[in-house]
Amino acid sequence: MSGYKRMRRQHQKQLIALENRLKAEMDEHRLRLQKELETHANNTYIELERLAKRHAAQVDKEMKSVAAEERRIQQQIVAQQKKELTSFLETQKKEYRVCRDKIKEMGEDPCTPKEEKQERLSRHKETMQRSQAEEEAHLLAQQRLVYDRSCRALKRRSLIKRHEFEQEQLREELNKKRTQKEMEHALMIRQDESTQDMEHRQLQMLQKLRIELMRLQHQTELENQEEYNSRRQRELHRKHTLEQRQQPRNLKTLEMQIKKQFQDTCKVQNKQYKALRNHQLEVSPKGDHKNILKSLKEEQTRKLAILAEQYEQSINEMMASQAMRLDAEQETECQALKQQLKQEMELLDAYQKKTQSQMETQHEREQQKLEQKISIRRAHLEQKIEEELAALQKERTEKIKHLLERQDREMNTFDSESRSLGFGSLGSLDFPKEDNR
């Protein structure tokens, strides 16, 4: 029994040690999964920060490119207008010289007084110069208007490009966020599946150890019971053997007791015989004494012979009954022990089957509990993923909406300012393209 208790304590220690080891393994597993999620979150943050910096650099580069494009086109417009002005001034000079020559020809009339010729010439020169000055001013005003309108149109085109660039960058940012979130969800699903595998494996290990320890326990209980049965049978066999050995001595003792009783009875009869003999001799004539003594002696001898025969028969009957009683008692004890050991073995078997069934029920309950736990955790995970995707889609919709609304306000404000400045529609202007020669 002490060895059995020691074995039970050792089995309990093994189970506790395995449970502690599996718990430590699961804690380490969960810590590793948490670190994986944190690493992914940090990488996502770094990726988004890198994307934001790249976007800022792209914006700066694009704005510089747009500004350079505006300056190039403005310079081309200014150069074109300078050419137009130079050509216009050359034409005016030619026209002025032609008109001057015509006036001189008209002034060669000898009939016209010199003062009148000078006055007419001065008047034509003044009229032509004023006309040319007005035409030059009109041209410059037209050029200024074209320049201002072109600059305004350039700013509108730059605004449109900036809006398109902002939309592209926002789409890239939102797509990046969705990609990172999908990667995070895939990682969470893989981690959940990994946790499921570990939970199933650990439960199998724990249940396998319980089954093995119960098998050893049942084997030990059966061996102990069989050893106990053998010991009880050996003890009963030794007891019966000892009783068989002691029976002749016991019978001898009983025989001596019967003989002693026989001797005591003989002594009593002798005393009775002597008393009867003396009485008969006293009351009988002296001549009859011889016959009386003979007759009493024969009677005494006959009675003693009968008594001896009775005691001998008693001894034989006692020996026979004692032998039969011992055999019967020993057979009864053997059957009782056999029945007792059989009942104990049946009780042990029933107890082991009961504990086996209880353990199987416990294992089924643990398996069902684990499956329920896994199902609930997976449902929560799927719900979390669905909620995060919905929140991400909502954020995407709101950001796009806010951006388009802001850009629409900016464009409307710009067009309103353009109309207030008198430029009208600016969407149909063509600009000279960069000469790459």
Side-chain angles (χ1 to χ4, degrees):
M1 181 58 69
S2 62
Y4 176 75
K5 291 181 178 179
R6 186 168 56 253
M7 180 195 69
R8 290 292 302 272
R9 288 194 298 269
Q10 184 64 29
H11 288 180
Q12 190 65 25
K13 288 181 180 179
Q14 287 181 256
L15 285 173
I16 294 174
L18 179 60
E19 289 174 353
N20 292 335
R21 182 166 63 85
L22 296 180
K23 182 178 181 300
E25 183 183 13
M26 181 58 72
D27 291 341
E28 182 181 357
H29 172 73
R30 287 173 177 163
L31 182 61
R32 184 171 64 254
L33 298 186
Q34 183 64 31
K35 287 183 178 179
E36 286 181 359
L37 286 175
E38 291 176 356
T39 300
H40 177 78
N42 292 334
N43 292 338
T44 300
Y45 176 79
I46 293 172
E47 287 290 329
L48 293 176
E49 284 290 318
R50 187 181 295 120
L51 180 63
K53 291 180 181 179
R54 181 162 61 83
H55 283 176
Q58 288 176 346
V59 168
D60 185 61
K61 181 180 178 181
E62 183 67 17
M63 291 303 100
K64 289 180 180 179
S65 176
V66 169
E69 180 71 7
E70 288 181 2
R71 288 194 300 271
R72 182 187 66 79
I73 294 176
Q74 289 172 357
Q75 289 172 359
Q76 288 182 347
I77 293 173
V78 170
Q80 182 66 28
Q81 289 181 348
K82 282 183 179 180
K83 286 182 181 181
E84 292 177 357
L85 181 60
T86 301
S87 176
F88 177 77
L89 293 176
E90 288 293 332
T91 302
Q92 279 190 334
K93 286 180 181 181
K94 289 180 181 180
E95 290 177 353
Y96 177 76
R97 284 194 295 268
V98 171
C99 288
R100 186 186 61 184
D101 291 342
K102 286 183 180 181
I103 292 172
K104 284 182 179 180
E105 291 177 357
M106 292 174 59
E108 291 179 354
D109 187 2
C111 298
T112 305
K114 186 176 181 180
E115 291 79 3
E116 186 179 350
K117 290 179 181 179
Q118 290 295 331
E119 182 180 357
R120 186 183 296 174
L121 181 60
S122 296
R123 192 167 52 250
H124 278 291
K125 286 174 63 178
E126 182 179 351
T127 300
M128 184 173 288
Q129 287 176 351
R130 185 170 58 252
S131 175
Q132 287 183 344
E134 289 175 355
E135 290 177 355
E136 182 181 355
H138 178 71
L139 177 61
L140 290 174
Q142 289 293 325
Q143 287 183 340
R144 184 65 188 179
L145 181 61
V146 169
Y147 179 79
D148 290 343
R149 192 166 185 272
S150 297
C151 290
R152 191 69 181 175
L154 279 173
K155 290 186 179 298
R156 190 177 190 278
R157 190 176 74 167
S158 298
L159 181 61
I160 293 174
K161 285 187 176 180
R162 180 168 65 83
H163 286 176
E164 292 174 350
F165 197 67
E166 287 175 348
Q167 293 173 13
E168 181 182 353
Q169 286 189 335
L170 180 60
R171 281 194 298 269
E172 186 178 3
E173 176 189 350
L174 295 175
N175 291 338
K176 187 71 173 177
K177 284 185 176 181
R178 181 168 183 94
T179 300
Q180 292 295 328
K181 183 59 68 175
E182 289 174 349
M183 292 173 60
E184 178 185 350
H185 290 166
L187 176 61
M188 292 167 67
I189 291 174
R190 288 197 305 272
Q191 288 183 346
D192 182 67
E193 292 173 350
S194 174
T195 303
Q196 288 183 30
D197 294 339
M198 178 169 287
E199 287 173 338
H200 281 122
R201 180 177 57 82
Q202 287 190 348
L203 183 60
Q204 289 176 358
M205 290 177 61
L206 185 61
Q207 292 181 349
K208 183 178 180 181
L209 180 60
R210 282 205 202 105
I211 292 172
E212 177 61 20
L213 294 180
M214 180 165 285
R215 185 190 67 79
L216 293 175
Q217 176 184 335
H218 287 179
Q219 180 180 352
T220 302
E221 290 172 347
L222 184 60
E223 292 174 353
N224 289 344
Q225 184 65 34
E226 290 175 349
E227 181 182 355
Y228 169 77
N229 293 349
S230 299
R231 179 168 56 80
R232 288 290 304 276
Q233 290 173 350
R234 288 195 304 271
E235 290 175 352
L236 183 62
H237 179 70
R238 285 197 298 269
K239 176 175 176 290
H240 288 174
T241 302
L242 182 61
E243 289 176 348
Q244 292 288 347
R245 291 176 180 176
Q246 290 179 346
Q247 187 181 21
R249 186 184 305 168
N250 295 336
L251 292 177
K252 187 67 174 177
T253 301
L254 292 175
E255 182 181 0
M256 294 300 294
Q257 292 176 355
I258 293 173
K259 287 182 177 181
K260 187 173 183 302
Q261 291 177 359
F262 174 71
Q263 292 173 358
D264 293 339
T265 303
C266 290
K267 289 180 181 179
V268 171
Q269 285 188 356
N270 286 330
K271 289 181 179 180
Q272 292 175 351
Y273 167 73
K274 289 180 180 180
L276 179 60
R277 184 190 62 183
N278 293 331
H279 176 71
Q280 289 289 338
L281 290 176
E282 289 177 357
V283 297
S284 298
K286 190 173 182 179
D288 296 333
H289 284 181
K290 186 175 181 180
N291 292 330
I292 292 171
L293 288 175
K294 181 179 179 182
S295 175
L296 290 173
K297 188 65 176 177
E298 290 177 354
E299 181 66 19
Q300 180 184 12
T301 302
R302 185 182 64 81
K303 288 182 177 183
L304 287 176
I306 293 173
L307 183 62
E309 184 179 354
Q310 290 176 350
Y311 274 98
E312 186 66 26
Q313 184 178 357
S314 297
I315 291 173
N316 293 333
E317 289 177 354
M318 178 271 298
M319 288 186 175
S321 65
Q322 287 294 328
M324 291 176 62
R325 184 177 62 82
L326 179 61
D327 291 340
E329 289 177 354
Q330 290 184 347
E331 180 63 23
T332 301
E333 289 180 349
C334 286
Q335 292 299 325
L337 179 61
K338 184 178 180 181
Q339 184 65 26
Q340 177 187 354
L341 297 181
K342 180 182 177 182
Q343 291 177 354
E344 290 177 357
M345 187 64 77
E346 290 174 351
L347 289 174
L348 176 61
D349 183 65
Y351 167 75
Q352 290 183 345
K353 287 181 178 179
K354 180 181 178 181
T355 55
Q356 179 75 21
S357 176
Q358 289 175 344
M359 186 182 67
E360 292 174 355
T361 302
Q362 178 186 357
H363 286 181
E364 291 177 0
R365 188 166 55 249
E366 289 174 346
Q367 189 68 33
Q368 292 174 357
K369 184 178 179 182
L370 177 60
E371 294 300 332
Q372 183 180 11
K373 174 184 175 183
I374 290 174
S375 177
I376 293 174
R377 187 177 64 222
R378 188 56 178 264
H380 288 168
L381 177 59
E382 291 175 353
Q383 182 180 1
K384 179 181 179 182
I385 291 175
E386 183 178 352
E387 290 174 352
E388 289 183 353
L389 289 178
L392 190 64
Q393 183 61 35
K394 182 179 178 181
E395 178 189 2
R396 181 187 187 93
T397 304
E398 290 179 351
K399 283 192 173 183
I400 292 176
K401 178 183 176 182
H402 293 162
L403 176 64
L404 294 179
E405 288 177 350
R406 178 180 62 80
Q407 291 181 347
D408 188 57
R409 287 194 304 270
E410 290 178 354
M411 185 59 68
N412 290 335
T413 301
F414 186 86
D415 289 341
S416 297
E417 292 176 354
S418 298
R419 285 191 297 270
S420 66
L421 293 173
F423 294 120
S425 176
L426 300 174
S428 60
L429 289 179
D430 293 329
F431 300 99
K433 296 186 179 181
E434 185 176 1
D435 189 0
N436 294 326
R437 291 178 298 175

